[in-house]
Amino acid sequence: EQDGRHTIVNEPIALADVDVRAFIAKANVTDMPWCLHFEGYVVASQIDVVSEARNKGMVTSMHSAGLDQAWLRNNGDLVLCLFDYVVLSREALASVSGKQEPRDGLLELHARSARLERTPEVIVVTLGAAGALVMKRDGTLRHIEAPRVVVRDTTGAGDSFVGAYLTFLLHGVDPFVAA
């Protein structure tokens, strides 16, 4: 806005496979946690490097913003196997689980995960003003209320949530408290 109350900065990026592979190969992963995080916009094009990051000792995470829902529906088990932390919108959860009710969708993913080689530590479903559902690997599920605020603009709200959430998780905070 002209008075500067609302400013939106958008810098679309495109990652080439070689860029991320080179980063992973050069990374000196130490005792401090490294997290390779992908927004949904690049998950499909970068999915092949996620296992390399894990093998290097990095924590892997993704959130569904911009992720093609048909791709997610067809590759849901792969996403569950490769990422340590998964954040989904309620729409993405419905696409991957086939369930419209978020709690039912998470329970469906948990049941499917039982037959997978590896599963996420935590799956979060964002619910906008209604907060988030958080499910740990063991199936423990909690609804976390969103703080009551005056909403001025929802642009970037999901990105802000994911950034803060991962920051807390990577510093050892319990997933429910982080949410």
Side-chain angles (χ1 to χ4, degrees):
E1 295 177 355
Q2 288 183 350
D3 64 4
R5 287 184 301 151
H6 297 267
T7 302
I8 299 172
V9 177
N10 183 345
E11 183 180 349
I13 60 170
L15 299 174
D17 288 340
V18 69
D19 295 337
V20 178
R21 276 202 169 86
F23 170 79
I24 293 168
K26 291 178 189 173
N28 182 17
V29 179
T30 62
D31 292 337
M32 181 173 46
W34 283 57
C35 182
L36 183 65
H37 176 77
F38 289 126
E39 286 188 310
Y41 297 101
V42 297
V43 168
S45 65
Q46 297 293 322
I47 197 73
D48 293 339
V49 302
V50 179
S51 61
E52 294 173 32
R54 261 204 176 153
N55 291 340
K56 188 88 180 218
M58 294 180 180
V59 171
T60 57
S61 67
M62 61 80 65
H63 73 129
S64 63
L67 184 58
D68 179 74
Q69 299 304 300
W71 184 92
L72 179 60
R73 193 171 27 262
N74 294 328
N75 294 279
D77 287 353
L78 181 61
V79 167
L80 293 174
C81 284
L82 290 177
F83 289 99
D84 298 303
Y85 299 107
V86 174
V87 181
L88 302 170
S89 66
R90 73 181 106 212
E91 297 81 12
L93 175 65
S95 180
V96 73
S97 70
K99 307 286 184 184
Q100 291 304 310
E101 171 59 41
R103 185 174 296 276
D104 295 342
L106 275 175
L107 293 173
E108 169 65 22
L109 291 187
H110 187 261
R112 279 175 42 190
S113 294
R115 65 180 189 269
L116 301 175
E117 182 179 322
R118 189 165 178 183
T119 60
E121 293 288 328
V122 179
I123 302 173
V124 177
V125 178
T126 57
L127 304 171
L133 282 174
V134 179
M135 184 177 67
K136 293 182 180 180
R137 178 182 280 160
D138 67 6
T140 307
L141 177 63
R142 259 194 222 159
H143 177 249
I144 307 298
E145 293 287 330
R148 302 292 174 221
V149 297
V150 175
V151 177
R152 302 218 187 272
D153 188 344
T154 60
T155 304
D159 294 333
S160 297
F161 171 82
V162 171
Y165 187 73
L166 286 175
T167 298
F168 282 109
L169 283 176
L170 294 172
H171 284 88
V173 175
D174 178 82
F176 298 130
V177 174

Coordinates of all heavy atoms in Angstrom, one line a residue, residues 15 20 36-43 46-47 49-50 61-64 83:
L15 N 15.0 -24.0 -9.0 CA 16.2 -24.7 -8.6 C 16.4 -25.8 -9.7 O 15.6 -26.6 -10.0 CB 16.0 -25.3 -7.3 CG 15.7 -24.4 -6.1 CD1 15.4 -25.2 -4.8 CD2 16.9 -23.5 -5.8
V20 N 21.1 -28.1 -6.2 CA 20.8 -28.7 -4.9 C 21.8 -29.9 -4.7 O 22.3 -30.0 -3.6 CB 19.3 -29.1 -4.8 CG1 19.1 -29.8 -3.5 CG2 18.4 -27.9 -5.0
L36 N 17.1 -29.4 5.0 CA 16.8 -29.1 3.6 C 15.3 -29.1 3.4 O 14.6 -30.1 3.6 CB 17.4 -30.2 2.7 CG 17.2 -29.9 1.2 CD1 18.0 -28.7 0.7 CD2 17.6 -31.1 0.4
H37 N 14.8 -27.9 3.2 CA 13.3 -27.6 3.1 C 12.9 -27.2 1.7 O 13.6 -26.4 1.1 CB 12.9 -26.5 4.1 CG 11.5 -26.2 4.0 ND1 10.5 -27.0 4.5 CD2 10.8 -25.2 3.4 CE1 9.3 -26.4 4.3 NE2 9.5 -25.3 3.6
F38 N 11.8 -27.8 1.2 CA 11.3 -27.5 -0.1 C 9.8 -27.0 0.1 O 9.0 -27.7 0.7 CB 11.3 -28.7 -1.0 CG 12.7 -29.1 -1.5 CD1 13.1 -30.4 -1.3 CD2 13.5 -28.2 -2.1 CE1 14.3 -30.8 -1.8 CE2 14.8 -28.6 -2.6 CZ 15.2 -29.9 -2.4
E39 N 9.6 -25.9 -0.6 CA 8.2 -25.5 -0.8 C 7.6 -26.4 -1.9 O 8.3 -27.0 -2.7 CB 8.1 -24.1 -1.3 CG 8.3 -23.0 -0.2 CD 8.0 -21.6 -0.8 OE1 8.5 -21.3 -1.9 OE2 7.3 -20.9 -0.1
G40 N 6.3 -26.5 -1.9 CA 5.6 -27.4 -2.8 C 5.9 -27.1 -4.3 O 5.9 -28.0 -5.1
Y41 N 6.2 -25.8 -4.6 CA 6.5 -25.4 -5.9 C 7.7 -26.3 -6.5 O 7.7 -26.4 -7.7 CB 6.9 -24.0 -6.0 CG 5.8 -23.0 -5.6 CD1 5.8 -22.5 -4.3 CD2 4.7 -22.8 -6.5 CE1 4.7 -21.6 -4.0 CE2 3.7 -21.9 -6.1 CZ 3.7 -21.4 -4.9 OH 2.7 -20.5 -4.5
V42 N 8.6 -26.7 -5.7 CA 9.8 -27.4 -6.2 C 9.9 -28.9 -5.8 O 10.8 -29.6 -6.2 CB 11.1 -26.7 -5.9 CG1 11.1 -25.3 -6.5 CG2 11.3 -26.6 -4.4
V43 N 9.0 -29.4 -5.0 CA 9.1 -30.7 -4.5 C 9.2 -31.7 -5.6 O 10.1 -32.6 -5.7 CB 7.9 -31.1 -3.6 CG1 7.8 -32.6 -3.3 CG2 8.0 -30.3 -2.3
Q46 N 12.5 -31.7 -7.4 CA 13.7 -31.9 -6.6 C 13.6 -33.2 -5.8 O 14.5 -33.5 -5.0 CB 13.9 -30.7 -5.7 CG 14.2 -29.4 -6.3 CD 15.5 -29.5 -7.1 OE1 16.5 -30.0 -6.6 NE2 15.6 -28.9 -8.2
I47 N 12.5 -34.0 -6.0 CA 12.3 -35.2 -5.2 C 13.5 -36.1 -5.2 O 13.8 -36.8 -4.2 CB 11.0 -35.8 -5.5 CG1 10.5 -36.8 -4.4 CG2 11.0 -36.5 -6.9 CD1 10.0 -36.1 -3.2
V49 N 16.6 -35.6 -5.1 CA 17.8 -35.3 -4.2 C 17.5 -35.4 -2.7 O 18.4 -35.4 -1.9 CB 18.3 -33.9 -4.5 CG1 18.7 -33.7 -6.0 CG2 17.3 -32.8 -4.1
V50 N 16.2 -35.6 -2.4 CA 15.9 -35.7 -0.9 C 16.5 -36.8 -0.2 O 17.1 -36.7 0.9 CB 14.3 -35.7 -0.8 CG1 14.0 -35.8 0.7 CG2 13.7 -34.5 -1.4
S61 N 12.4 -31.5 5.0 CA 11.0 -31.0 5.3 C 10.5 -30.4 4.0 O 11.2 -30.0 3.1 CB 11.0 -30.0 6.4 OG 11.7 -28.8 6.0
M62 N 9.2 -30.4 4.0 CA 8.4 -29.8 2.9 C 7.1 -29.3 3.3 O 6.6 -29.7 4.3 CB 8.3 -30.8 1.7 CG 7.4 -32.1 2.0 SD 5.6 -31.9 2.0 CE 5.3 -31.5 0.3
H63 N 6.6 -28.3 2.6 CA 5.2 -27.9 2.8 C 4.6 -27.8 1.4 O 5.2 -27.6 0.4 CB 5.0 -26.7 3.7 CG 5.4 -25.4 3.1 ND1 4.6 -24.3 3.2 CD2 6.5 -25.0 2.5 CE1 5.2 -23.3 2.6 NE2 6.3 -23.6 2.2
S64 N 3.3 -27.9 1.4 CA 2.6 -28.1 0.1 C 2.2 -26.9 -0.7 O 1.6 -27.0 -1.7 CB 1.3 -28.9 0.4 OG 0.4 -28.2 1.3
F83 N 10.5 -37.4 3.6 CA 10.5 -36.2 4.4 C 10.3 -36.5 5.9 O 9.4 -37.2 6.2 CB 9.5 -35.2 3.9 CG 9.9 -34.6 2.6 CD1 9.3 -35.1 1.4 CD2 10.8 -33.6 2.5 CE1 9.6 -34.5 0.2 CE2 11.1 -33.0 1.2 CZ 10.5 -33.5 0.1

